[in-house]
Amino acid sequence: MRYILGIDIGTTAIKGAVIGEDGKIYGSRTSEYPLTTLPTGEVEAELSLYIKAFINSVKGAVSESGVKAEDVKCIGFSSTAETCVFLDENAQPLSNVIAWMDMRATKEAEYLSAQFEKEEIIRKIGFDGIYAIHPVSKILAVKNKSPEIFEKTRMFAQIKDYFIYRLTGKYYTDHSTASDHGYFDITNRCYWQEMLDLVGIKKQYLPEMVAPGTEIGTITVKAAEELGLTPGTKVNVGAFDQGCGAIGAGNIKAGIASESTGSALVTVATIDRLNINSDGSVPTLCSAIPGKYMYQPYCTGSMIMKWFRDAFCEKEKKIESQTGLNAYTQMDELVRLTPPGADGLIMLPYFQGSGIPEMNENADGVYYGINAGHTRGHFIRAIMEGLAIALKRMLECEAKFGANAVEIRSLGGGSQSEAWCQIKADILGIPVKVVANSESTPCMGCAILAGVANGIWTSIEDAADQFVSIKKTYVPNPDNAEVYNRLYQKYVEITKALDPTF
């Protein structure tokens, strides 16, 4: 049996999974790290926290699997696409890691957007403008506010690029990850030189660019010793986590969309080619499948649920510590006892700005329609319904450009909530299918990419068809259609009314 180690570098955790050539997960380990969030919108963490989590997850996954190190033939990577690391000539960090949702660069994003015609920005990066989440904006913000860091930087890396270097001694990135950077040309699949010149980024201080799923080398002796692996184990560049998750969910053809309700709520629709009529309102990125593209709208996700749990669910957390009954499971029960529509309570889930279609980075979260009869169950249900409506609006935007979904594959932490999945099905009006091992789909996706490149499987499509299975399907309940249609219209009205005030 040959095995692949899939590594997913997420917002607040790193997961490693050992996957056999039979498609089964033999061992996994997730290691979390805290982010520091400031009122000014800055979100960051020390690189050492990522390194510790990386080592723990890799060694833990291999240990749990019971697999011999020499039987792990290759390593695949999945990661966020906008988490910045500034490294000096010795590959040492010059600052904390800047997380993808960091908003310090709002003014820089506005400046960069104003330097190019909108049509050129759409053609180059697939967005209708440059945003604060884009690494190019973050780099310019560092240049403006901490010029000494910018001047000393010898590698403007993303978090996946850094760990690839740590394993191989070389910096690589891929088309899908780079296509959310703001300085990558998605049409010609190369760095956007005009943008690099404007910001002052030298191309030699950026990783080498390759197609997603490219096998780029082997791990060094030092890395092998540190991780308990065999020198010569192949390393694959992998891809953007949302693209890997789509592969791991079987979202590789028209009519299927996938949604991931993790820290961010993201939906992905795979498309064969760029849409020449795109107005940039729906972000278009390079897919994790070489040569293809994907629509990828997004907004703040289940981090809102975590906020509510931490701020208002002391009782449930105490019960969890005493009995092991997960606090989120208890919150699900409160939602089940609350009627659809949450008795008029509506939540706009704009904790890090609003997503598609508004894309207002200044938007804030809103509870609307509070009355004395509302309980915590109403507030939790309103979060779930608000995010389901946000998902519906994103799918509608994709449909305008021909990506019509007849089913949606659900993955990420949110897919573990039965109440939430049913709410999504009711509001979307299409079946929601939870993928088996849904919490490991990015690891599965990057493992498929690595396994195909290594010759373990013949193609991405064959591997996905063979190994992706559905655990449970949620069918829309027609009895809830009317209340959710009214809720949807009210949600849109409130958003339009408040959008200019943010």
Side-chain angles (χ1 to χ4, degrees):
M1 176 80 80
R2 294 169 292 178
Y3 299 87
I4 304 103
L5 174 62
I7 304 171
D8 178 40
I9 307 170
T11 304
T12 58
I14 295 177
K15 181 168 188 173
V18 176
I19 299 168
E21 62 182 289
D22 57 358
K24 295 180 180 179
I25 298 176
Y26 284 83
S28 67
R29 175 70 58 85
T30 299
S31 303
E32 297 183 350
Y33 37 83
L35 299 177
T36 300
T37 302
L38 303 178
T40 53
E42 298 177 358
V43 186
E44 57 185 35
E46 293 181 7
L47 181 58
S48 60
L49 297 176
Y50 289 84
I51 295 171
K52 181 179 179 181
F54 184 89
I55 295 171
N56 287 343
S57 293
V58 170
K59 296 179 75 172
V62 175
S63 175
E64 183 181 296
S65 72
V67 169
K68 295 179 180 179
E70 58 265 29
D71 292 331
V72 178
K73 300 302 180 184
C74 51
I75 301 169
F77 277 93
S78 161
S79 80
T80 58
E82 312 91 358
T83 299
C84 297
V85 189
F86 296 81
L87 301 165
D88 67 14
E89 59 187 3
N90 298 312
Q92 296 301 306
L94 292 163
S95 67
N96 284 339
V97 176
I98 300 178
W100 71 265
M101 74 279 277
D102 184 284
M103 286 290 127
R104 75 184 66 193
T106 300
K107 291 183 179 179
E108 284 77 10
E110 293 172 353
Y111 166 77
L112 292 172
S113 294
Q115 305 311 303
F116 300 92
E117 295 294 332
K118 183 176 180 179
E119 292 74 17
E120 183 177 10
I121 293 176
I122 294 169
R123 189 174 67 254
K124 292 293 187 182
I125 71 166
F127 286 69
D128 60 359
I130 307 296
Y131 290 93
I133 67 162
H134 286 132
V136 69
S137 304
K138 294 182 173 76
I139 291 171
L140 183 57
V142 169
K143 181 180 182 181
N144 290 340
K145 299 168 187 175
S146 305
E148 70 283 359
I149 292 176
F150 181 88
E151 291 301 326
K152 292 179 181 178
T153 298
R154 292 298 175 266
M155 182 53 58
F156 297 98
Q158 300 307 302
I159 193 64
K160 178 165 72 71
D161 310 335
Y162 171 76
F163 281 108
I164 286 174
Y165 170 83
R166 198 172 176 90
L167 264 60
T168 66
K170 296 181 179 179
Y171 293 102
Y172 287 94
T173 193
D174 70 281
H175 299 161
S176 70
T177 305
S179 59
D180 211 13
H181 289 174
Y183 48 75
F184 177 74
D185 180 344
I186 65 169
T187 302
N188 298 300
R189 296 183 181 248
C190 61
Y191 286 117
W192 182 10
Q193 190 61 53
E194 290 82 2
M195 180 61 82
L196 297 183
D197 292 341
L198 176 63
V199 179
I201 303 171
K202 296 180 180 180
K203 193 179 292 186
Q204 66 260 38
Y205 298 158
L206 291 171
E208 183 177 341
M209 187 75 63
V210 295
T214 299
E215 199 166 78
I216 52 176
T218 58
I219 65 171
T220 63
V221 172
K222 180 180 178 180
E225 291 176 352
E226 182 179 54
L227 299 173
L229 296 172
T230 303
T233 304
K234 301 292 185 180
V235 178
N236 194 288
V237 73
F240 181 29
D241 57 2
Q242 298 302 330
C244 288
I247 292 173
N251 174 13
I252 56 175
K253 55 188 176 183
I256 299 176
S258 55
E259 67 88 9
S260 174
T261 310
S263 298
L265 169 62
V266 183
T267 178
V268 171
T270 304
I271 55 176
D272 290 331
R273 61 189 64 86
L274 290 173
N275 189 326
I276 61 173
N277 297 315
S278 173
D279 60 4
S281 61
V282 179
T284 307
L285 290 79
C286 297
S287 168
I289 303 173
K292 292 192 176 186
Y293 292 88
M294 65 184 192
Y295 292 134
Q296 190 240 286
Y298 60 89
C299 67
T300 309
S302 60
M303 64 182 294
I304 303 174
M305 195 68 74
K306 182 179 184 297
W307 159 77
F308 193 91
R309 181 200 65 177
D310 293 345
F312 303 108
C313 294
E314 286 300 324
K315 175 184 175 182
E316 286 73 19
K317 289 193 293 182
K318 184 176 181 180
I319 292 173
E320 179 177 351
S321 67
Q322 293 175 341
T323 69
L325 180 61
N326 191 285
Y328 289 120
T329 302
Q330 300 172 64
M331 292 163 70
D332 254 25
E333 186 59 30
L334 294 175
V335 170
R336 289 193 185 94
L337 298 174
T338 306
D343 289 324
L345 183 61
I346 298 174
M347 205 255 183
L348 305 185
Y350 304 151
F351 271 38
Q352 294 285 342
S354 59
I356 305 299
E358 285 80 23
M359 286 298 288
N360 184 346
E361 294 181 332
N362 296 313
D364 296 310
V366 175
Y367 271 112
Y368 175 91
I370 303 172
N371 64 51
H374 289 141
T375 66
R376 289 186 306 143
H378 290 89
F379 282 85
I380 300 168
R381 187 172 190 108
I383 293 173
M384 292 184 176
E385 291 176 342
L387 285 167
I389 290 173
L391 177 59
K392 178 181 176 70
R393 300 183 83 208
M394 291 191 285
L395 291 175
E396 288 175 341
C397 290
E398 291 179 345
K400 290 179 182 178
F401 296 102
N404 292 287
V406 295
E407 68 174 61
I408 190 159
R409 305 284 178 91
S410 184
L411 48 140
S415 67
Q416 304 306 304
S417 167
E418 294 187 357
W420 205 345
C421 288
Q422 188 59 56
I423 287 171
K424 289 174 184 175
D426 291 349
I427 288 177
L428 298 177
I430 58 175
V432 172
K433 298 184 177 183
V434 177
V435 180
N437 297 314
S438 62
E439 71 283 358
S440 299
T441 49
C443 287
M444 177 63 78
C446 68
I448 287 175
L449 288 172
V452 169
N454 196 250
I456 295 174
W457 300 307
T458 57
S459 72
I460 296 170
E461 292 76 12
D462 287 347
D465 287 342
Q466 186 177 353
F467 302 132
V468 177
S469 60
I470 303 301
K471 181 171 67 176
K472 187 170 183 177
T473 298
Y474 295 83
V475 179
N477 183 348
D479 294 339
N480 296 332
E482 184 177 350
V483 66
Y484 280 137
N485 285 336
R486 291 197 305 267
L487 178 64
Y488 177 83
Q489 295 301 323
K490 192 74 171 179
Y491 177 106
V492 173
E493 290 173 11
I494 297 168
T495 297
K496 287 181 178 178
L498 291 180
D499 196 55
T501 72
F502 291 129

